[in-house]
Amino acid sequence: MAGNKTFSMIKPNAVKSGHIGHILAHISDAGFRIVALKMTKLSVSQASAFYGIHEGKPFFNSLIEFMYSGPVVTMILEKENAVEEYRKLIGATNPQMAEEGTIRKLYGVDTQTNAVHGSDSDENAFIEANFFFSMRERFGVRGVEMLTDAITQL
Ligand code: ATP
Ligand code: MG
């Protein structure tokens, strides 16, 4: 069964262009609940780890440079079938190919500078959410307790 959470990031171009508010409104209006939210800036090593799957591809270095060129906004979103529903909402990787009304069509510039990231599987949503958010940020005191319990089992 598909999970109900996904991870998203507003990329540096959309933050710089002043679109944070528009994009968050778009996400809420589409029925997603924003369950965690953070503005941060990636280091080179964090950007490389986040997009590690693309290492070796011709666009990798340029992608990493873009991803640490300015602040990003990261979030965990909740909705039934969240991963698939959110990928539909953001549209194709290349904004020119994205459907009308999608976030990338509205705020993306080109294939690299495409305004938002969305997880491509439940497993990656879990990994990416944990990359940016602590257990306390995700689950409050219960999260700290879960982590403490797990560590004391080691
Ligand atoms: P994301 O993972 O950011 O949600 P995606 O899943 O639609 O995007 P991926 O194939 O995972 O697409 O690529 C990751 C990111 O790398 C893209 O969003 C884009 O910023 C960049 N990228 C992908 N392909 C290219 C390309 N051919 N040229 C330049 N940049 C690219
Ligand atoms: Mg991807």
Side-chain angles (χ1 to χ4, degrees), residues 54 87 117-118 120:
H54 297 297
R87 297 283 295 192
H117 160 80
D120 60 8

Side-chain angles (χ1 to χ4, degrees), residues 21-43:
H22 300 126
I23 292 173
L24 293 181
H26 203 98
I27 291 169
S28 297
D29 290 347
F32 288 87
R33 203 163 73 83
I34 299 169
V35 297
L37 182 73
K38 184 187 289 187
M39 189 163 181
T40 183
K41 189 171 182 304
L42 295 175
S43 65

Side-chain angles (χ1 to χ4, degrees), residues 13-14 19 22-23 26 86-111 113-117:
N13 71 295
H19 293 313
H22 300 126
I23 292 173
H26 203 98
Y86 191 65
R87 297 283 295 192
K88 269 192 234 158
L89 187 71
I90 65 178
T93 307
N94 178 350
Q96 269 94 56
M97 308 291 283
E99 271 186 49
E100 288 300 328
T102 58
I103 295 175
R104 282 172 167 169
K105 185 71 171 189
L106 289 166
Y107 305 110
V109 176
D110 56 34
T111 301
T113 313
N114 58 3
V116 281
H117 160 80

